[in-house]
Amino acid sequence: MTEFNVQTRSDGSVSILDVKGYLDAHTAPELEDAFNKLIDDGKYKVVVNLKDLNYISSAGLGVFMAYIETMRENGGDIKFSNLKKEVYNIFDLLGFPMLYEFYNDENEAIKKFNEQ
Amino acid sequence: MKIKTKEINRKIKVKSTTDNLSRIRDFIHKTGMECKLKKEAIGEIILAVDEACTNVIKHAYHFSPEGEIEINVKCKNNKFSVSITDKGEKFNIKDIKDPDLEEYHKEKRVGGLGIFLMKKLMDEVKYSHLTGNRNRVTLVKYLPN
């Protein structure tokens, strides 16, 4: 069984998704569920904390691509924080740093939302 | 005297379900370790094989759980080769162009990035159609001596 877990918490108006383990075509639907729940609740400012993410394939990256527009159209965004080097390398290969913000620390990403 | 490394051949056969992806990754990891590959190279091969198998599950078998995927690994000298064989729908890589990543994100296109990643991570990506309506993708990585 694939080890994977996604949990949502809040810091003021910002939602934080803690995504842990292995994100692949099998586990990506769980992440989609988490994003759908945020949209249902009208929460569009999202920090994705990937401190404990060990692995990501294009199926997982595709989830962020599928939701980014909705978040931005509603005054929010998806910002990433705390990535392991090997995980960041995959985001980088697919050109994510051109269009998404990455932070070393979750608090920097939250601060950025609060400044806007 | 040049020492010749022993050829290592390993095989796994799984059903076409996404829950088998972790099993496939474990298999590649184990074989990579056996061939004494560096951690970084193993990680790249694992992702490329995951992408190839995800494509088989999605596009060759259309998520039908009854399909079979056979994975053969061959490691000799400085060449690590993985072939992934299925009996699903034929797939033509020539139809797939490398995406312009900026346009890709702007157009909100999702999927199709797997092949791009495979090409970036491996030295060779080759598709072939075999007798008995079988399709094969072969992924090769050359390892530094």
Side-chain angles (χ1 to χ4, degrees):
Chain A
M1 214 181 74
T2 313
E3 191 190 318
F4 180 75
N5 181 264
V6 52
Q7 280 182 331
T8 310
R9 41 192 179 96
S10 300
D11 186 315
S13 64
V14 180
S15 300
I16 300 131
L17 290 185
D18 291 302
V19 186
K20 299 178 180 182
Y22 291 75
L23 179 53
D24 63 6
H26 189 62
T27 56
E30 278 185 59
L31 182 60
E32 284 173 359
D33 290 346
F35 272 108
N36 287 335
K37 175 107 189 10
L38 289 175
I39 291 168
D40 287 347
D41 294 344
K43 292 177 173 170
Y44 304 106
K45 294 176 180 174
V46 186
V47 174
V48 182
N49 186 322
L50 299 180
K51 178 169 74 76
D52 295 314
L53 188 77
N54 298 321
Y55 177 83
I56 189 162
S57 73
S58 69
L61 294 152
V63 177
F64 302 119
M65 291 164 74
Y67 289 94
I68 186 71
E69 198 109 332
T70 307
M71 298 310 181
R72 287 180 181 167
E73 276 168 3
N74 288 282
D77 194 14
I78 299 174
K79 301 185 198 293
F80 297 99
S81 81
N82 303 76
L83 283 80
K84 289 185 170 133
K85 187 176 166 277
E86 53 269 40
V87 170
Y88 177 78
N89 287 345
I90 306 306
F91 278 89
D92 193 25
L93 268 181
L94 291 182
F96 272 69
M98 285 189 291
L99 292 140
Y100 296 75
E101 292 170 21
F102 290 82
Y103 296 89
N104 291 326
D105 186 78
E106 173 190 302
N107 291 323
E108 293 171 43
I110 295 168
K111 201 176 149 200
K112 192 74 195 282
F113 270 125
N114 291 333
E115 281 168 7
Q116 284 164 357
Chain B
M1 197 179 85
K2 199 180 171 186
I3 301 161
K4 277 212 167 182
T5 34
K6 197 179 80 183
E7 182 172 317
I8 291 174
N9 286 290
R10 296 288 176 266
K11 185 167 102 175
I12 188 177
K13 206 184 230 183
V14 297
K15 291 282 184 191
S16 55
T17 56
T18 53
D19 61 345
N20 277 322
L21 290 170
S22 60
R23 210 178 133 200
I24 293 165
R25 292 196 298 265
D26 289 347
F27 165 72
I28 298 294
H29 183 259
K30 205 176 138 197
T31 315
M33 294 288 282
E34 210 179 337
C35 298
K36 298 186 170 52
L37 263 60
K38 283 192 177 151
K39 193 181 156 219
E40 196 189 353
I42 295 176
E44 290 177 356
I45 298 164
I46 284 175
L47 180 54
V49 173
D50 176 322
E51 296 293 346
C53 293
T54 300
N55 277 347
V56 168
I57 294 165
K58 267 164 97 170
H59 304 297
Y61 290 123
H62 303 283
F63 293 104
S64 156
E66 291 307 313
E68 275 187 343
I69 307 173
E70 189 180 305
I71 301 160
N72 285 278
V73 176
K74 189 156 99 177
C75 180
K76 196 185 180 187
N77 297 331
N78 69 334
K79 187 178 176 183
F80 191 92
S81 167
V82 187
S83 71
I84 297 136
T85 312
D86 69 79
K87 289 182 181 172
E89 199 173 297
K90 195 178 166 186
F91 175 77
N92 195 350
I93 197 172
K94 283 176 192 139
D95 296 341
I96 312 285
K97 286 179 190 155
D98 280 350
D100 174 323
L101 290 174
E102 198 162 353
E103 286 302 312
Y104 204 91
H105 283 277
K106 277 182 195 158
E107 286 170 20
K108 219 182 144 187
R109 281 167 59 190
V110 174
L113 290 174
I115 291 171
F116 179 78
L117 272 181
M118 282 154 62
K119 287 190 194 163
K120 283 267 178 191
L121 298 167
M122 303 299 286
D123 296 311
E124 286 173 19
V125 178
K126 199 175 75 189
Y127 279 82
S128 47
H129 194 61
L130 313 173
T131 54
N133 276 325
R134 291 174 304 153
N135 310 299
R136 176 171 292 166
V137 54
T138 306
L139 307 170
V140 177
K141 197 166 191 71
Y142 293 101
L143 310 154
N145 286 317

